[in-house]
Amino acid sequence: MNAPTIEYLQLAPLLTVFGAAILGVLVEAFAPRYLRRAMHIPITLLSLAGAFALVIVQTVKGVPTKPSAMGAVAVDGPTLFIWGTILVLAFVSVLLLNDEDHFVPAASAVPGSAEEERALIEGNVHTEVYPLALFAIGGMLLFPASNDLLIMFVALEVMSLPLYLLCGLARRRRLLSQESAMKYFLLGAFSSAFFLYGTALLYGFAGSVDLAKIGTALGAVGGQDALLYTGAALLGVGLLFKIGAAPFQSWKPDVYQGAPTPVTALMASGTLVAAFGALLRVFWIALGNLDWDWSGIMWGVAILTMVAGAILAITQTDIKRMLAYSSIAHAGFLLVGVVAITADPKQNALALSAILFYLAVYGITTIGAFAIVTMVRDAGGEAWHLSRWAGLGKRSPKLAGLFAFFLLAFAGIPLTSGFFGKYAVFQAAVSGGALPLVVVGVVSSAIAAFFYVRVIVLMFFSDPAPDGPSVVLPSWGTASVVGFAALATVVLGVFPQPVLDLAQSAAGSLFVH
């Protein structure tokens, strides 16, 4: 095969998702309204499944050793693992999107207006969510594979802009949903500005936005330290915002609370995986040779993120806000793995494989937990207040048992996937000389276990209120998501080695420069 053909094959998963997104736009533009949803569902699911199959084919054929698209996109071992993880998480998240009850029938209508009431009566469905989700997923795939900062910024915007819109489309609590979308947009715009300004400063330092060339310039360019350090700091702020690390985490609880729960599930899983992939690529390739050691700042960010997420989660009374602060704490645990990066290639491979495994198992469990949340309903929609979950174990013991199982996995209890995820990251950190950080992580995990157990006690050891919430009959999509997440959490908690081996194989090639 000639070089252009090989490059197209390497980029085939990415092109498949973006192609399906464009096809979805054409469906919205030209297909009759009553046919749109029936067309969107197979297009979306088949494109994600096809992209995943192409990732497997590329992995079997061999991991590329050179960047593609004129050096702008690097399809290497970690990228292929991250792509596979994102596509699996996106596929199950789209199954949640299929429940039209989550989305407003007319986003342009003022909440409570006659126009909104008429759209409800007519049974309108907001089918734009499918192409928007595909564009966001395409951005998630491109973000961690970007090999220069300009493409990474484009990927960041392609990932973020559809999510800003999707967050404002909740069918119930419309004003809260629109508020969350506005907050996400404004704070996201600030973080994008930090990222872009940092990119400009690093370009001024190195004369290039290529990550490898920036890394090479660290040892060759002198007298430009102010540009280098300021650019690296601003770039780090933009990336840390996307993973919800403290002190840049304030958007997460508000956005998770107001967004439609299927969108929250997609953000809490796929966006986190993509953002960590981009963070690792930047700090590994572009800034890996930085004379001024950035790991000290990363220590502080990791500690602050773990402690803030665990402690603030205790004070929450909204189930989705509690899961948001749990996500912040888990971002801190993942940063422990980032800190474990050293100059030793074997240690780097160990740390990278631990992070990749953690991202996969945490993402699956997170989607399962949010799928459970969609099924517990009050008259006004989802039962968001924790007090409404009292006695759920007596009303619906199977559902409450599954939710308790997911919470125990978040806590890292043995025989769950979460246990091996934390063990892998903490082991890598100990091997990298970050034992004090691991101690903080263990203490934070113990604090986090308190609020997980509190919810379990509330569900099983409290009497249900007479007017308590009901458990709706799940759609086939929601039932499939819950079943898949529970099975994966059990299997990876008992027999994690196959996925660990995949992560170690992906990490063995490290990142392509």
Side-chain angles (χ1 to χ4, degrees):
M1 293 185 188
N2 55 29
T5 302
I6 294 174
E7 287 200 1
Y8 277 122
L9 290 175
Q10 292 175 5
L11 300 176
L14 195 64
L15 297 175
T16 300
V17 173
F18 278 124
I22 294 171
L23 182 59
V25 173
L26 295 177
V27 169
E28 284 296 316
F30 299 109
R33 181 179 291 274
Y34 66 91
L35 286 178
R36 291 176 189 171
R37 186 167 183 269
M39 297 175 70
H40 277 306
I41 293 173
I43 289 173
T44 304
L45 294 178
L46 288 175
S47 66
L48 294 174
F52 182 74
L54 289 169
V55 170
I56 295 175
V57 170
Q58 182 65 65
T59 304
V60 172
K61 287 182 60 179
V63 178
T65 57
K66 294 182 179 180
S68 304
M70 296 184 293
V73 180
V75 183
D76 45 31
T79 296
L80 289 172
F81 187 93
I82 289 170
W83 277 6
T85 302
I86 291 173
L87 289 168
V88 170
L89 298 176
F91 189 92
V92 294
S93 295
V94 168
L95 292 178
L96 288 180
L97 291 176
N98 283 336
D99 190 350
E100 62 190 53
D101 188 53
H102 295 296
F103 296 96
V104 63
S108 59
V110 176
S113 65
E115 182 183 357
E116 183 182 56
E117 185 67 24
R118 183 168 59 254
L120 286 170
I121 294 173
E122 293 174 355
N124 292 346
V125 179
H126 227 310
T127 53
E128 294 93 333
V129 298
Y130 294 99
L132 286 173
L134 281 173
F135 275 116
I137 294 163
M140 293 175 193
L141 296 177
L142 183 58
F143 195 37
S146 301
N147 202 44
D148 74 55
L149 295 177
L150 191 58
I151 294 295
M152 190 172 286
F153 175 75
V154 172
L156 174 64
E157 294 306 297
V158 173
M159 175 179 70
S160 300
L161 290 174
L163 291 176
Y164 299 153
L165 295 173
L166 289 170
C167 287
L169 299 181
R171 191 182 189 96
R172 298 173 179 84
R173 296 204 288 179
R174 289 283 313 283
L175 292 176
L176 184 64
S177 176
Q178 293 174 357
E179 178 188 346
S180 74
M182 183 58 68
K183 286 181 178 178
Y184 194 21
F185 169 69
L186 292 176
L187 293 176
F190 276 116
S191 75
S192 296
F194 278 113
F195 185 96
L196 193 58
Y197 194 23
T199 298
L201 293 178
L202 287 177
Y203 176 79
F205 167 78
S208 174
V209 292
D210 184 272
L211 296 181
K213 291 180 180 178
I214 293 173
T216 302
L218 295 182
V221 177
Q224 301 283 353
D225 287 353
L227 286 176
L228 172 62
Y229 297 148
T230 307
L234 292 173
L235 198 67
V237 168
L239 292 169
L240 290 171
F241 174 89
K242 278 301 170 186
I243 67 174
F248 315 109
Q249 86 293 350
S250 61
W251 64 274
K252 257 192 176 183
D254 293 337
V255 174
Y256 281 24
Q257 180 186 20
T261 303
V263 177
T264 303
L266 178 62
M267 288 193 298
S269 55
T271 303
L272 185 70
V273 175
F276 259 101
L279 179 78
L280 287 168
R281 187 172 294 279
V282 167
F283 279 91
W284 203 301
I285 298 176
L287 305 177
N289 297 323
L290 193 62
D291 290 336
W292 175 69
D293 191 358
W294 49 261
S295 64
I297 291 181
M298 201 63 75
W299 270 65
V301 172
I303 292 172
L304 185 61
T305 304
M306 288 186 291
V307 174
I311 292 178
L312 291 176
I314 297 175
T315 66
Q316 303 306 307
T317 57
D318 184 292
I319 189 70
K320 289 171 72 175
R321 290 183 70 88
M322 186 201 77
L323 291 175
Y325 279 107
S326 169
S327 174
I328 292 168
H330 282 279
F333 299 142
L334 283 159
L335 287 173
V336 172
V338 176
V339 171
I341 296 172
T342 66
D344 182 7
K346 290 184 178 180
Q347 171 61 26
N348 288 346
L350 177 65
L352 180 56
S353 65
I355 294 171
L356 294 177
F357 179 77
Y358 197 123
L359 288 170
V361 298
Y362 172 73
I364 293 172
T365 305
T366 297
I367 293 178
F370 280 110
I372 296 289
V373 171
T374 66
M375 298 164 60
V376 183
R377 303 282 184 88
D378 271 331
E382 294 167 359
W384 55 272
H385 201 279
L386 281 178
S387 63
R388 305 295 292 163
W389 289 65
L392 184 65
K394 299 176 182 178
R395 287 179 179 269
S396 181
K398 292 181 180 178
L399 188 78
L402 283 171
F403 192 64
F405 180 64
F406 290 138
L407 293 179
L408 292 175
F410 287 144
I413 301 300
L415 299 182
T416 66
S417 59
F419 170 77
F420 286 103
K422 287 185 179 178
Y423 176 78
V425 168
F426 289 165
Q427 180 191 37
V430 170
S431 177
L435 180 59
L437 194 59
V438 173
V439 172
V440 176
V442 171
V443 173
S444 299
S445 296
I447 296 173
F450 169 78
F451 61 81
Y452 296 134
V453 173
R454 182 185 64 174
V455 177
I456 296 173
V457 170
L458 186 68
M459 290 192 298
F460 288 96
F461 298 99
S462 300
D463 293 326
D467 60 342
S470 60
V471 176
V472 299
L473 186 66
S475 65
W476 68 269
T478 303
S480 300
V481 170
V482 173
F484 169 76
L487 181 63
T489 303
V490 170
V491 171
L492 294 177
V494 177
F495 191 56
Q497 199 57 47
V499 179
L500 279 170
D501 289 342
L502 283 175
Q504 290 166 0
S505 176
S509 64
L510 298 181
F511 287 105
V512 168
H513 287 234

